[in-house]
Amino acid sequence: MIDLATNANARYADIALPVPLRQSFTYRLGPTLASRASIGSRVIVPFGKRLLTGYVLDLFDSIRSESDVDPSKLKPVREVLDDEPLLTKEIVELAKWTADYYLSFIGEVLRASLPAGLSRKGEEHFSITARGRDSLSGVLLPRYDREHLLTLLEQRESVSAKELAKTFGPSASKILRALSNEQLVSATHLVPGSGPQPKRRKIVRLLKENGQTSNDKPLTDVQARVLETLLNAGGEMGYVELLERADVGASPINTLAKRGRLEVTIDEVLRDPIGDNDLPTLNDFVLTIEQQNALNAIGNSIDQDEYKAFLLHGVTGSGKTEVYIRAMQMALDRGQSSLMLVPEIALTPMFSRRLRAVFGSDVAILHSSLSAGERFDEWRRIRRGDARIAIGTRSAVFAPLKDLGLVVVDEEHDASYRQHESPFYHARDVAVMRANLANATVVLGSATPALETFYNAKRGKYEYLRLARRIGERSLATAELIDMRQVFKKSGKDIAFSPQLLKAIDETWSNGEQSMILLNRRGFSQFVLCRTCGETIKCVNCDITLTYHKRERKLVCHYCNYQIDPPNRCPVCTSEYLYFVGQGTEKLEDELRRHFPRLRIARIDRDTITKRRDMERILTDFSRGDLDMLVGTQMIAKGHDFPNVTLVGVVSVDLGLGLPDFRSAERTFQLLTQVSGRAGRGERAGRVLIQTYYPEHYALRHAREQDYEAFYQEEIRYREKMGYPPFFALASILVRHSDLSVATDNARKIRRTLDSANASNICRILGPAPASLSRLKGEHRLQILIKSPNRKVLREMLDLGLSSAEKAGTDMRLVHTEIDPINLM
Ligand code: ADP
Ligand code: ZN
Ligand code: ZN
């Protein structure tokens, strides 16, 4: 097999299709199409009875004789959709790696890599040929279906096969086949027009602005007004605006165009998600010594043109963003492009404007809440090389930048980098691989690095850069832990808000300052906590919190399926005050309003905020001081900078600690560090109050001290002892079905095939156990967890086990496999 990037002699193409199959497909290429196809082109191909849009992965001119492909049975590519391939060769390589690493489907990865709407199914359209028109002459009233059909086509430019099938019923396809055999109609493939299209604008331009020449007819008043309006606008304006401003109809413009006084053209305009209004002025600060050292290291690496990875560990407010921006400038100065990934929530309008102020039109923004059109335009600017810096959320890791010099992943620990549906990739890890493939430098930045990342830095896989000080020596807020066991003991009843927190809210408001109250996400699972000692009841095997299943009245481990009856007394301290946590947090906001009827309170969480603009409005109101308090879930903890916020209250931190997930301590530590960074960003000192039944927990103690290193030391010991990442590689397999017995059956079958594939016994297989979300959308969900000290062995075991499950007839559409799962739900 000889690979060719483009080659008019290529006779075969390897094509990825958006189907849930772990393979690509070979098609034949006719000579005309061969001259247009290249790696990365979109094509239309027949697949079973359907037509699908696929992507060319490879072109070659002969089929290897030992391969099991029979060239004579190959179907032809029907159409090449792009003369310029949408995907670069580099992105095709990256997508291949991603699909392989995450055991996902290459077609799905490629689709996820493109702006939405470009990979819809190709639809077959028919139009009438000249011969078809001739055949109709003489037919006055169509009598037969075929005449009806031709008459319909005669009146319209083209009609989709779908519409024809609706009108003419099942016989339509037969008629169409006959008509196209007689060459009365022809077929084309169109990608439906509902996907994003370039935006066009009609423009009027003045050609001769200097008075009349002698042979010109005198101008009418209306015509004179048109020319004058144009002249005042600098000789060029939009057609529609001209009609409005000169208060004229279309005809004087047409007349003037005919006489050569002006021209009307259609220009492509790019939608700009930022706009140029109120760009901030550039601050030209001198970098701190820490910032300068970090920048020097990154800059040296960029100059080497070799892969290198850095962890930039900087406390909140230490000026990481400034380091990223200057490093991107360095890459740009060398003629190289940069990619910067940010979490879902962090790309605030402020930040985008800042980048636009620094880099002008060199920066393109790919953000999930842009309109499809805006995203499409930004993506094309990158593809053409007009924008050399791309900033965006998760899927921007596939932005088609060329000559990549630098990749930045900000807040690299953030869970939003994980795609939660197929393909389940982790954008941070794909970003590192992308830098690797491109011989580029990658910088992972965070105040609370993911445990895996810090571990890699400790082992020297990443070079460690530290920003230990906040800019301007502003101090971090002091955090206090409020012991809810004491509160419970005093009041004897279930209280959501401690007297200390209520008092602090009142004081803050009286001082004319603002507060933020963080409620954990409503618990979807219940667990048992002791109100006397603060312990939760955990699995003896896995050391994760047991989940309470109401119907069966059982406490269940959803990693290994260990089950016990709920005890009457705390197993640790024998207290009888056991507390079934996990319900009712949605009422907390009402309670706050009752306590503080005069406070202006707004709530932000995924249930109340569905649109970008709602969120922006509330944040703007809050920063203007039109609101006194912001109540919300994790969403309010990230990224925002409100100088007047002096109090942050964390109401139910135990909910987060009790999540049945080995990362619950890490998540809680990250969250608390982040909220502490929110308080006291301005001149005044900030306070952080954290309510908990378990103030001895190491995540809480170290978060209070803002001591990442101490937290890491304890957490890494727990991971090693219990066999979790980074010491063991994990995979999870979720099996779902509306019928519990079918789901259980399938899950047991898969477990058995995995056991046989695990002959060496290197992998540890747990379950099937009910997933932590054991029922979702009417389906039962079971989970199998696999741990392995060796990633390669894990992968080989999975390949073998899953393929034999498939061969044994398991419906793999109901089975989701995740590599490095980060939410074991
Ligand atoms: P981080 O991303 O580490 O949380 P930022 O990059 O947001 O921190 O920086 C915090 C603040 O300090 C920002 O307002 C930024 O403009 C400012 N800043 C950054 N570097 C400097 C500097 N060298 N001198 C003065 N101000 C700076
Ligand atoms: Zn107890
Ligand atoms: Zn267990």
Side-chain angles (χ1 to χ4, degrees):
M1 239 192 276
I2 304 159
D3 282 4
L4 310 152
T6 26
N7 188 321
N9 298 323
R11 291 168 58 212
Y12 304 100
D14 197 20
I15 287 168
L17 292 175
V19 293
L21 291 170
R22 234 161 255 141
Q23 63 174 108
S24 54
F25 300 87
T26 309
Y27 284 85
R28 213 152 32 78
L29 260 181
T32 342
L33 291 184
S35 66
R36 293 177 49 210
S38 30
I39 290 178
S41 301
R42 284 179 309 164
V43 292
I44 302 255
V45 294
F47 187 76
K49 289 207 174 79
R50 297 176 293 167
L51 288 171
L52 295 178
T53 305
Y55 311 88
V56 177
L57 296 178
D58 243 333
L59 294 165
F60 38 92
D61 57 8
S62 64
I63 302 277
R64 242 189 278 168
S65 51
E66 71 269 19
S67 79
D68 51 4
V69 176
D70 176 358
S72 68
K73 292 222 174 86
L74 292 179
K75 291 189 211 155
V77 171
R78 291 277 187 92
E79 189 113 18
V80 175
L81 289 176
D82 323 293
D83 291 318
E84 259 293 286
L86 279 181
L87 297 158
T88 61
K89 216 176 159 183
E90 189 201 331
I91 296 299
V92 171
E93 284 311 307
L94 187 67
K96 279 185 183 168
W97 177 85
T98 305
D100 185 60
Y101 183 88
Y102 292 101
L103 284 178
S104 51
F105 313 119
I106 178 77
E108 283 191 353
V109 175
L110 287 171
R111 188 177 49 193
S113 79
L114 288 169
L118 283 181
S119 49
R120 283 152 202 272
K121 252 190 310 186
E123 230 190 295
E124 194 157 32
H125 279 64
F126 287 91
S127 46
I128 193 165
T129 60
R131 203 157 153 187
R133 275 178 215 281
D134 287 345
S135 82
L136 274 184
S137 62
V139 178
L140 284 178
L141 283 173
R143 264 177 299 163
Y144 305 106
D145 271 356
R146 50 179 282 148
E147 286 164 8
H148 269 291
L149 201 154
L150 277 175
T151 312
L152 181 73
L153 291 181
E154 192 188 26
Q155 289 157 16
R156 306 249 307 263
E157 207 173 316
S158 79
V159 182
S160 72
K162 213 157 143 199
E163 187 181 338
L164 292 170
K166 251 193 223 144
T167 317
F168 294 94
S171 58
S173 65
K174 219 166 105 192
I175 303 171
L176 282 168
R177 217 173 312 134
L179 288 175
S180 67
N181 282 344
E182 294 168 46
Q183 296 177 0
L184 302 178
V185 300
S186 66
T188 48
H189 299 284
L190 294 179
V191 174
S194 47
Q197 300 291 332
K199 184 169 157 185
R200 295 195 164 81
R201 199 165 89 114
K202 213 164 165 181
I203 304 273
V204 185
R205 241 178 244 112
L206 208 52
L207 290 181
K208 280 187 270 173
E209 44 194 81
N210 48 335
Q212 300 162 240
T213 49
S214 53
N215 54 358
D216 266 351
K217 273 198 230 158
L219 296 173
T220 65
D221 282 356
V222 184
Q223 288 166 347
R225 207 156 68 231
V226 169
L227 293 183
E228 196 187 311
T229 311
L230 266 175
L231 195 59
N232 289 340
E236 177 181 319
M237 66 196 296
Y239 188 82
V240 181
E241 289 123 61
L242 179 60
L243 291 183
E244 269 170 23
R245 206 142 0 126
D247 193 21
V248 296
S251 89
I253 298 179
N254 290 341
T255 313
L256 288 168
K258 263 187 223 138
R259 288 212 222 144
R261 301 293 300 263
L262 50 80
E263 66 170 357
V264 180
T265 57
I266 310 265
D267 279 7
E268 221 177 82
V269 291
L270 290 166
R271 285 154 282 215
D272 185 344
I274 305 174
D276 275 335
N277 345 351
D278 38 279
L279 288 177
T281 43
L282 274 180
N283 345 348
D284 236 340
F285 8 78
V286 183
L287 292 185
T288 63
I289 292 171
E290 283 185 333
Q291 282 174 318
Q292 192 60 55
N293 288 344
L295 184 65
N296 289 348
I298 297 166
N300 284 340
S301 168
I302 294 174
D303 283 339
Q304 301 298 313
D305 278 319
E306 271 171 23
Y307 164 76
K308 181 158 182 153
F310 292 93
L311 165 59
L312 180 59
H313 183 193
V315 295
T316 44
S318 60
K320 294 186 288 295
T321 313
E322 200 54 38
V323 175
Y324 305 146
I325 289 176
R326 300 207 187 192
M328 292 194 283
Q329 185 67 56
M330 285 172 144
L332 200 62
D333 291 344
R334 304 180 77 235
Q336 286 184 304
S337 62
S338 305
L339 169 66
M340 178 169 170
L341 299 182
V342 293
E344 206 62 63
I345 204 77
L347 199 62
T348 54
M350 275 275 287
F351 181 56
S352 308
R353 282 196 214 105
R354 173 89 208 284
L355 289 169
R356 177 54 54 89
V358 180
F359 296 114
S361 63
D362 253 322
V363 65
I365 311 266
L366 297 169
H367 188 224
S368 61
S369 55
L370 297 185
S371 72
E374 285 171 338
R375 260 229 250 201
F376 177 58
D377 287 353
E378 290 291 88
W379 190 88
R380 281 189 313 147
R381 291 204 307 121
I382 298 168
R383 180 71 186 87
R384 290 178 187 161
D386 294 342
R388 314 272 292 145
I389 293 175
I391 315 276
T393 46
R394 194 168 58 221
S395 65
V397 72
F398 296 106
L401 292 158
K402 272 166 284 194
D403 306 318
L404 194 62
L406 175 69
V407 179
V408 174
V409 184
D410 190 26
E411 310 283 354
E412 60 83 32
H413 63 278
D414 197 285
S416 69
Y417 285 124
R418 178 76 184 196
Q419 164 101 351
H420 287 298
E421 52 199 42
S422 176
F424 298 93
Y425 65 89
H426 196 301
R428 174 198 58 216
D429 298 343
V430 178
V432 171
M433 183 42 71
R434 179 159 190 188
N436 196 326
L437 291 174
N439 294 323
T441 296
V442 57
V443 179
L444 309 178
S446 176
T448 52
L451 219 74
E452 289 88 338
T453 306
F454 200 72
Y455 179 73
N456 280 333
K458 288 246 170 210
R459 288 195 314 156
K461 224 175 132 182
Y462 301 159
E463 187 171 320
Y464 184 68
L465 304 171
R466 178 77 172 139
L467 304 180
R469 294 213 192 100
R470 284 187 128 185
I471 298 290
E473 301 291 326
R474 280 183 302 165
S475 59
L476 283 162
T478 47
E480 301 157 45
L481 299 175
I482 299 174
D483 189 340
M484 293 302 280
R485 294 172 303 200
Q486 301 302 328
V487 173
F488 176 73
K489 214 157 126 193
K490 253 189 222 144
S491 69
K493 57 178 196 234
D494 186 6
I495 285 186
F497 297 98
S498 62
Q500 294 96 309
L501 181 56
L502 292 176
K503 183 161 164 265
I505 293 174
D506 202 41
E507 282 168 6
T508 304
W509 179 66
S510 308
N511 288 341
E513 295 161 7
Q514 294 171 301
S515 47
M516 287 169 99
I517 302 296
L518 191 80
L519 310 171
N520 257 70
R521 190 175 33 157
R522 188 165 61 95
F524 53 82
S525 73
Q526 275 191 284
F527 62 95
V528 178
L529 182 145
C530 171
R531 287 196 199 272
T532 304
C533 75
E535 287 282 350
T536 58
I537 298 185
K538 292 197 169 136
C539 173
V540 291
N541 306 318
C542 310
D543 205 29
I544 63 151
T545 308
L546 295 177
T547 302
Y548 180 54
H549 285 242
K550 239 198 228 132
R551 236 167 358 136
E552 299 87 2
R553 281 197 45 83
K554 287 268 188 218
L555 288 170
V556 180
C557 171
H558 78 108
Y559 283 11
C560 75
N561 209 26
Y562 170 78
Q563 307 195 351
I564 54 168
D565 291 327
N568 295 322
R569 287 177 174 277
C570 170
V572 178
C573 77
T574 74
S575 152
E576 56 196 312
Y577 296 116
L578 290 181
Y579 171 27
F580 287 72
V581 198
Q583 276 186 331
T585 46
E586 64 276 78
K587 301 222 180 68
L588 294 181
E589 189 199 351
D590 297 341
E591 208 176 318
L592 273 178
R593 287 186 199 277
R594 267 201 309 281
H595 277 295
F596 303 105
R598 290 162 66 196
L599 258 66
R600 295 162 300 171
I601 302 176
R603 178 181 179 116
I604 287 192
D605 65 27
R606 282 203 204 285
D607 298 335
T608 53
I609 304 293
T610 45
K611 289 193 227 85
R612 166 173 57 147
R613 312 229 179 275
D614 292 346
M615 171 105 172
E616 274 173 26
R617 207 193 55 240
I618 292 181
L619 294 179
T620 310
D621 287 353
F622 191 62
S623 71
R624 276 210 211 106
D626 293 342
L627 291 168
D628 302 309
M629 180 191 283
L630 213 52
V631 178
T633 51
Q634 285 87 323
M635 282 171 87
I636 65 173
K638 296 180 194 170
H640 314 295
D641 204 345
F642 302 110
N644 199 34
V645 171
T646 53
L647 173 68
V648 174
V650 184
V651 173
S652 35
V653 74
D654 299 323
L655 267 181
L657 276 178
L659 277 181
D661 190 322
F662 71 88
R663 285 195 178 87
S664 61
E666 182 183 8
R667 296 254 167 74
T668 302
F669 180 84
Q670 286 165 349
L671 179 71
L672 292 179
T673 308
Q674 244 158 13
V675 291
S676 303
R678 297 284 77 81
R681 286 216 141 194
E683 302 302 311
R684 278 156 292 190
R687 287 177 82 187
V688 179
L689 298 186
I690 302 165
Q691 300 190 163
T692 177
Y693 279 96
Y694 198 13
E696 294 82 15
H697 195 291
Y698 63 92
L700 302 186
R701 275 191 289 117
H702 298 314
R704 187 189 52 208
E705 307 297 329
Q706 300 267 348
D707 191 344
Y708 179 91
E709 181 86 27
F711 168 75
Y712 172 83
Q713 293 304 345
E714 280 200 53
E715 180 69 9
I716 202 81
R717 269 205 301 278
Y718 157 71
R719 301 284 182 94
E720 186 161 25
K721 181 168 145 244
M722 300 308 298
Y724 290 122
F727 301 98
F728 276 62
L730 287 192
S732 69
I733 298 178
L734 186 77
V735 183
R736 52 193 182 89
H737 201 275
S738 54
D739 186 338
L740 180 59
S741 61
V742 178
T744 311
D745 223 45
N746 283 342
R748 290 209 181 114
K749 262 190 223 149
I750 291 176
R751 167 79 207 238
R752 276 197 299 274
T753 56
L754 292 177
D755 281 336
S756 350
N758 188 29
S760 63
N761 236 340
I762 288 176
C763 301
R764 276 194 243 159
I765 308 174
L766 305 178
S772 147
L773 280 167
S774 62
R775 291 200 66 177
L776 191 66
K777 294 179 193 150
E779 285 182 320
H780 296 269
R781 294 148 51 91
L782 296 165
Q783 176 172 283
I784 298 171
L785 192 65
I786 304 137
K787 299 173 169 187
S788 170
N790 182 320
R791 182 175 287 280
K792 195 161 155 270
V793 172
L794 175 70
R795 176 56 198 270
E796 284 162 4
M797 196 279 288
L798 277 175
D799 280 344
L800 186 61
L802 289 174
S803 68
S804 44
E806 192 172 359
K807 274 186 209 124
T810 311
D811 184 349
M812 298 311 272
R813 281 171 304 184
L814 300 169
V815 178
H816 284 295
T817 306
E818 274 194 63
I819 304 293
D820 305 340
I822 67 156
N823 259 329
L824 286 165
M825 298 291 171

